[in-house]
Amino acid sequence: MTPAARLLSRAADWGRAPSAHNTQPWDVRADGPDALVLGWHADRVLEVGDPTRRDLLLSLGCVAEALAIVAAEEGYAVRPAWQVDRGLRVAGRLELGPVDGVLGSVGAAEVAAPFSVAELVARRTARAAYAEPFVTAEQVVEVEAAAGLGDAGRGETALGDAGIAARAGLAVLPPDVVETQLAVADRWTFDGPATGELRDWLRLDPQDPAYRRDGLSDAALGLAGWERAGLRLALQPPVLGLLRRTRLTALLGRTATARPLGTVVALTGPRDLPDEAVADLGRCLLRVWLAAARAGLAAHPLSQLLDCPASSTRVQQEVTGAAGPEHTAYGVFRLGRPRTAPARSHRLTD
């Protein structure tokens, strides 16, 4: 088979890339024997919950990195040529070349994958409570370095042409700020317009044909039987309307994210990045989570902290103080050791 065909045949592996709500929005197709075109499906975009398409672009970067990891096992290196066209739903081309050669004008060392397929497939999102001791700031710095961010991302380990890894970093958010703002963001999740979209991507009925395909299953969310039943009931429009009128969504919000949280970290980068750089930052994000897993840690995204306008403003203030006024947060997630083993989420490519 051609390099492109060989890589497409490994979809069960690179399809383990993470995405918001487990929507798996990517559309990967061959573009000749030595390249792939990476785009996305319109019906797998979070129109309400991700209006800026930040999560979409990060997800596309994650799958590009997953493809690079699988390609390395096949003996190829991947060079992304990002050119995002939102109208055509195309993110760019992934050019394939031999690992021991030169890919265009870029050396293979710049595009080699530092993580294995086994690590990619074993990665889990852990949404349950995290155990003490919590991750320290020093451990976060170690994860940052292992992922090739900051100083470790300079020179020949920089990702893509933009070298976004050299300008990306991790910032630990203060626990008190996180607790306060997470309460705001979680309530906003059930009070705001994105609630219906969340309901559409929840998979709480094992008899649903979509249960083993995509979305957020009760097992992936770590819900007990009574919690699953309660959430299904609470999100029914008549019940949700009553909860909103009686302001009981605050109680629902307090149970949305498991405690203890562990350590909450922001993935930072320069302000106002173009779409191409945000997609490349998604490669950094997956590397961070894989580096954390190699260190025995799990991650759980808290995108609501950036989606909710009120909490986003406060989080960005903290990032500015920690990383400098020229930086902003593109992702927020928990890091820690889960008390219970996380379930394997379902994929279209399983």
Side-chain angles (χ1 to χ4, degrees):
M1 291 189 290
T2 65
R6 287 175 63 179
L7 202 48
L8 288 175
S9 73
R10 299 284 303 274
D13 293 324
W14 54 256
R16 299 305 306 173
S19 58
H21 287 6
N22 192 24
T23 53
Q24 307 163 61
W26 41 78
D27 179 19
V28 185
R29 301 181 183 182
D31 185 23
D34 300 312
L36 301 171
V37 171
L38 176 58
W40 65 90
H41 297 284
D43 60 347
R44 293 185 169 274
V45 173
L46 301 176
E47 294 286 350
V48 181
D50 184 30
T52 67
R53 301 298 183 262
R54 182 194 72 248
D55 283 334
L56 170 66
L57 293 168
L58 291 175
S59 295
L60 295 173
C62 284
V63 80
E65 183 64 14
L67 282 158
I69 291 170
V70 177
E73 188 172 271
E74 291 285 338
Y76 299 104
V78 171
R79 178 188 177 185
W82 299 109
Q83 192 170 2
V84 178
D85 187 320
R86 295 195 181 200
L88 296 177
R89 299 195 302 277
V90 173
R93 296 176 79 249
L94 304 178
E95 300 169 5
L96 311 177
V99 169
D100 58 354
V102 175
L103 197 58
S105 60
V106 179
E110 295 183 68
V111 288
F115 298 97
S116 69
V117 174
E119 289 175 305
L120 172 65
V121 172
R123 186 202 64 83
R124 301 285 186 271
T125 297
R127 297 177 175 86
Y130 286 178
E132 297 187 51
F134 297 142
V135 177
T136 65
E138 290 76 16
Q139 289 174 300
V140 172
V141 171
E142 291 172 0
V143 169
E144 181 182 72
L149 305 190
D151 290 339
R154 300 186 186 280
E156 57 181 22
T157 59
L159 294 178
D161 292 334
I164 191 62
R167 297 177 288 158
L170 300 178
V172 177
L173 299 178
D176 58 332
V177 173
V178 171
E179 283 289 355
T180 301
Q181 297 308 313
L182 193 56
V184 173
D186 279 340
R187 180 171 182 178
W188 173 88
T189 297
F190 296 105
D191 277 343
T195 310
E197 196 169 59
L198 170 63
R199 182 171 55 239
D200 291 341
W201 286 99
L202 285 174
R203 304 289 182 253
L204 303 179
D205 180 5
Q207 304 306 314
D208 184 346
Y211 185 84
R212 302 187 182 281
R213 183 185 67 196
D214 54 18
L216 300 171
S217 71
D218 55 332
L221 292 170
L223 299 179
W226 66 271
E227 292 173 313
R228 177 185 64 191
L231 183 59
R232 286 184 67 182
L233 177 63
L235 290 180
Q236 294 300 313
V239 178
L240 183 61
L242 176 63
L243 293 175
R244 286 173 172 174
R245 289 192 298 273
T246 57
R247 299 186 177 275
L248 288 177
T249 46
L251 177 61
L252 189 60
R254 282 197 294 272
T255 64
T257 306
R259 304 300 198 279
L261 292 172
T263 302
V264 178
V265 177
L267 174 66
T268 69
R271 290 183 179 275
D272 303 320
L273 287 176
D275 286 350
E276 291 75 12
V278 177
D280 216 36
L281 192 61
R283 297 189 69 191
C284 298
L285 180 62
L286 181 55
R287 289 190 180 203
V288 166
W289 288 351
L290 291 175
R294 184 178 285 178
L297 307 174
H300 170 207
L302 298 176
S303 298
Q304 64 269 40
L305 284 170
L306 296 181
D307 296 335
C308 170
S311 59
S312 178
T313 298
R314 186 69 182 89
V315 167
Q316 298 295 9
Q317 289 173 349
E318 290 297 328
V319 169
T320 296
E326 72 282 1
H327 278 68
T328 192
Y330 287 90
V332 178
F333 50 91
R334 305 160 63 202
L335 278 182
R337 299 172 185 83
R339 289 180 174 176
T340 56
R344 184 179 189 269
S345 57
H346 298 299
R347 291 291 189 275
L348 291 162
T349 50
D350 285 346

